[in-house]
Amino acid sequence: GDSIEATRLLATVAVHVGRIPEALQLLRSLKPSALDLHLRLFLADIFHGSMQPSECLQILKNTAVSIQQARCVATLGNHQAWEKVIAELLAVDQRRQTLAEIGWRSAAVDDCQAPASLETLLRNVGELSPSHQNFALAHAKAFCGEWKQAFDQLVSAPSREARILKADLLMRMGGPTPSIAELYKLNEQFPEDPEILNILGLSLVETQQNLDEAYVYLRRSHRLQPEDVSILDSLGWLLFSRGAKATALR
């Protein structure tokens, strides 16, 4: 209950301030029954970020296929296994994160020098529509710091997923004002979307624009999806940013 959530919040704050071993120690102190899927995915992200792919895959053992599994398999250098996981993710329609992963991975393999790996990956993981291919290509360009080219790739893309990426690119190209304006528009169109609420709230936190307003969006996002660790992560970071360390850790 509350003690589990408090431990999660404390761990997210530890991650944000770079105290990864402390975060892992906190999360490992939880009983196995408390390690639900969301928490396992959060742990997997930490293991991946700290270059511990074997531990990442161990914590994901017997869980459904996930983007975290793909990332940790790739870190081990098993490209065929990575392609298999990606194909499985596309088969269960986890489009946005999976297409982003395809773009990032191809750019990393090419060292941002050529698009050959992206073309190969798109061919190997299954049939994708032109809009999905453009989305993956936009992520590859964004990975390489080509913000304007990535944005132009999405000019005619009206989907929710493309607009979320466009908001991120606007932040990188033009600062918070145009980006947050786009997120407000998305929130108006999808007022009960926990992911958009989370992104909007976190953007307000990171730019220190309006922390009280950010709290409203993040609390609503948390109510809609209370088990999502990424939302809890944003909420903990907000409380920490406001100086409410005791609340963030309670």
Side-chain angles (χ1 to χ4, degrees):
D2 291 344
S3 63
I4 293 173
E5 185 164 299
T7 300
R8 290 177 174 183
L9 274 171
L10 182 57
T12 61
V13 171
V15 169
H16 276 296
V17 298
R19 292 156 64 176
I20 302 300
E22 183 177 332
L24 291 173
Q25 183 179 359
L26 284 163
L27 293 170
R28 284 167 170 159
S29 71
L30 294 171
K31 294 180 180 178
S33 59
L35 293 177
D36 59 22
L37 177 59
H38 291 289
L39 194 53
R40 287 179 186 273
L41 294 176
F42 179 55
L43 266 167
D45 278 330
I46 296 175
F47 283 132
H48 174 254
S50 56
M51 298 300 293
Q52 300 179 65
S54 297
E55 289 82 353
C56 169
L57 293 174
Q58 181 62 35
I59 201 69
L60 294 175
K61 192 175 181 180
N62 299 323
T63 64
V65 64
S66 63
I67 202 70
Q68 286 82 357
Q69 182 182 349
R71 290 168 183 163
C72 293
V73 165
T75 303
L76 284 172
N78 191 336
H79 193 72
Q80 285 188 328
W82 179 86
E83 286 187 357
K84 182 175 183 293
V85 174
I86 288 295
E88 290 178 18
L89 286 167
L90 290 172
V92 296
D93 207 31
Q94 293 195 28
R95 294 283 180 185
R96 189 171 74 82
Q97 280 193 319
T98 307
L99 291 167
E101 175 68 15
I102 291 172
W104 296 333
R105 186 62 50 194
S106 67
V109 169
D110 282 332
D111 198 24
C112 296
Q113 298 301 312
S117 289
L118 178 58
E119 294 173 5
T120 301
L121 289 177
L122 291 173
R123 187 167 55 249
N124 289 352
V125 299
E127 291 187 13
L128 293 172
S129 69
S131 63
H132 286 143
Q133 292 184 36
N134 279 340
F135 190 68
L137 182 56
H139 272 284
K141 292 181 180 297
F143 178 92
C144 297
E146 299 174 1
W147 316 126
K148 180 65 166 59
Q149 293 92 325
F151 189 85
D152 290 344
Q153 199 76 37
L154 300 168
V155 163
S156 60
S159 70
R160 166 191 172 279
E161 292 77 10
R163 290 176 64 194
I164 289 173
L165 176 55
K166 285 162 79 172
D168 179 62
L169 293 168
L170 284 169
M171 179 74 78
R172 298 173 189 277
M173 292 189 299
T177 301
S179 174
I180 291 174
E182 177 64 22
L183 290 170
Y184 278 133
K185 291 177 186 176
L186 272 167
N187 179 236
E188 287 176 8
Q189 187 174 351
F190 305 99
E192 299 300 309
D193 187 312
E195 183 182 15
I196 291 172
L197 287 165
N198 183 37
I199 295 170
L200 175 54
L202 185 58
S203 295
L204 292 170
V205 173
E206 291 180 337
T207 57
Q208 296 288 300
Q209 288 209 7
N210 190 328
L211 296 185
D212 290 338
E213 185 181 3
Y215 181 77
V216 172
Y217 290 122
L218 292 175
R219 286 300 297 177
R220 190 190 308 166
S221 179
H222 186 244
R223 282 197 299 271
L224 290 167
Q225 213 159 299
E227 296 303 316
D228 191 319
V229 178
S230 67
I231 296 171
L232 195 66
D233 175 35
S234 300
L235 193 56
W237 187 236
L238 165 65
L239 296 173
F240 191 81
S241 298
R242 293 172 82 176
K245 297 180 185 179
T247 303
L249 305 183
R250 256 204 309 268

